[in-house]
Amino acid sequence: MPALPLDELQFTEKDSLTGKMKTLPALHPEKKTERSFVLYKPPPKARGDRALLEEFWERAKFVADDLEWLLTLPHDKFWCQVIFDETLQKCLDSYLRHAPRKFDTVADLPPEVNDLQRRLHRNVFLTFLRMSTHKESKDHFITPSVFGEILYNNFLFDIPKILDLCVLFGKGNGPLLHKMIENIFTQQPSYFSDLDETVPTVLQVLSSILHTCGLQCEGASSTPQKLEERIRLTPGDIPLQELKDIVLYLCDTCITLWAFLDVFPLACQTFQKHDFCYRLAAFYELVVPELEAAIKKRQREDSSLLSDLWKRLSHSRKKMVEVFHMIINQLCLQPILESSCDNIQPYIEDFLQIFTSVLQERRFLRDYDELFPVADDVSLLQQASSTLDETRTAYILQGVDSAWEGVDRRKKTAHSLPL
Amino acid sequence: MALPRLTGALRSFSNVTKQDDYSEESADLTNKRTKLQGEQLNSGLTWKKIVSFVDENSAKENKQSILEDLKTILQASKQIVGSENGQEAIESGAVFLFKTFHTKECVGHEETKAIKQMFGPFPSSSATEACEATYRIASHFTEDQLAGLLQMTEDKNDDRKLCFGKNIAFSFDMYDLDHFEELPVNGEMDEQKGISLDF
């Protein structure tokens, strides 16, 4: 007899209170074990603080052990725990929020603490892997549509969690993570709607960075400015600590977006629905030169901090340029390479429109062209389409040349991005 | 202070996440310890079983000293667990100490952490006394005898189940900052343009 999906299974067992037989669905709150998962907190910033280190160790050990226990549970018990144990959901969320990224500045931890953190890191990934799998084996599976509902209605995955997963696990486990996220979005298309709803918040984050820097961008002045609000003219006036926060925020934002699109390129479409390329280029044009100037201006202050900020800003620049390229590649170049000649016109049009919209962003265009020469892409379009509007491509190439005016293309400077 | 994160902003300002309240979670660690102590109480090995094991398996001439050592462990447990928690909790604590120390000559880092995880802060002298007493008791028995006794502690439900993902190749590699050129010296970029060494 074929096995039933978990969502249709029922178990009959003796009620411990009444002694009578009762039938319950396999997925039922009564089948949850009272485990009391604790929250994960980040490791202490200074190694010398023994009390904090002890607390970190204790928490991390509880979480690592509890997740190990969870992973050994049979399929039905695992899902009851995941769905009905709120402490588990909070525990997993706290890890995603607070787990140290490799690009964070963290103190060296004793080897045994590092080992524990690694064990925990693996267990968290395996837990999310199991949660993103609706068919664990031939006999253990959930109806795909019900699986999608379970994930979505219980917030087992949401967009911020998915972004965190990408930044924490994407580097070494990209292919597996891609399958996980693809499966989640396939079984529950509402995640695409959520992503669509999230992009404006991402754009708000970019606006808030500009605002903190005292730079305004299009649409940012929709609310009237308070009379008493202090107006900063340049980021050079911002206190060093605040400048540090801005650069850290920018760096985290750029790496997280990049990691997500790298693991799940299908999301590019949703981002571009919000004119993301144009907005990203405009943001880059405003914020990068100002932050560079603000860091260079402070040569007499904490030099190691400034050097670190410079490194993070350079990395953020590279990631922004790469995000732009990922979207162009996913939405225009790849379809052109893969399609027959008859179908490529909309993709060429998108390419031309996107580049025409960013021609005034000279600094961005230079940095982009250095990493991903625009002429190469235009050449690809020329090869692919015999009816390409040469006037428009010439206009774009001229715009790129104009962006390089006064700057030696071949000269590697500190402004250059490494190729 | 939490580091500024994109996903932090998305959690706070978008409508796509569950708005969890974490304010009640401050006591989660204490609750967890209490829960573990409760589980310890219900584990297979009890203090009575240890006492009767000692009584049945020790030579007559050692019995008196072993009973003294058992009292020492119980007393140490009282100090560590706290006398206000009742005899049952104290005996359960004593079992935990016996299990922790039966192969140890002294209290090491791991044992300290294990006790602290179970009971919270504790007087180190009590742990030392318990460790020494347990070691003396253990020296009267063979490894096989002790293994037989401690097998009672195994979780009845623990049938060595397979852990999900055991065979999955996992990478610990994470995204890091790329290497970039150093921060240029003040004004270097602008000044270089106008300076020529070609006289």
Side-chain angles (χ1 to χ4, degrees), chain B residues 30 52 57 98 106 126 132 137 160 162 179:
Chain B
T30 320
S52 86
N57 296 287
F98 188 87
C106 60
S126 300
E132 288 169 358
I137 294 172
R160 300 274 169 244
L162 192 67
H179 176 74

Side-chain angles (χ1 to χ4, degrees), chain A residues 34-35 66 93 104 252, chain B residues 5-6 22 32-33 35:
Chain A
E34 285 304 325
R35 188 77 187 185
D66 283 346
D93 189 48
D104 290 341
D252 179 81
Chain B
R5 297 223 190 279
L6 171 68
Y22 287 90
K32 184 75 179 175
R33 287 186 199 126
K35 189 169 165 48

Side-chain angles (χ1 to χ4, degrees), chain A residues 48-62:
Chain A
D49 197 331
R50 286 199 59 184
L52 281 178
L53 197 62
E54 286 285 325
E55 189 190 327
F56 169 75
W57 190 90
E58 187 178 13
R59 278 187 181 279
K61 174 115 180 21
F62 276 139

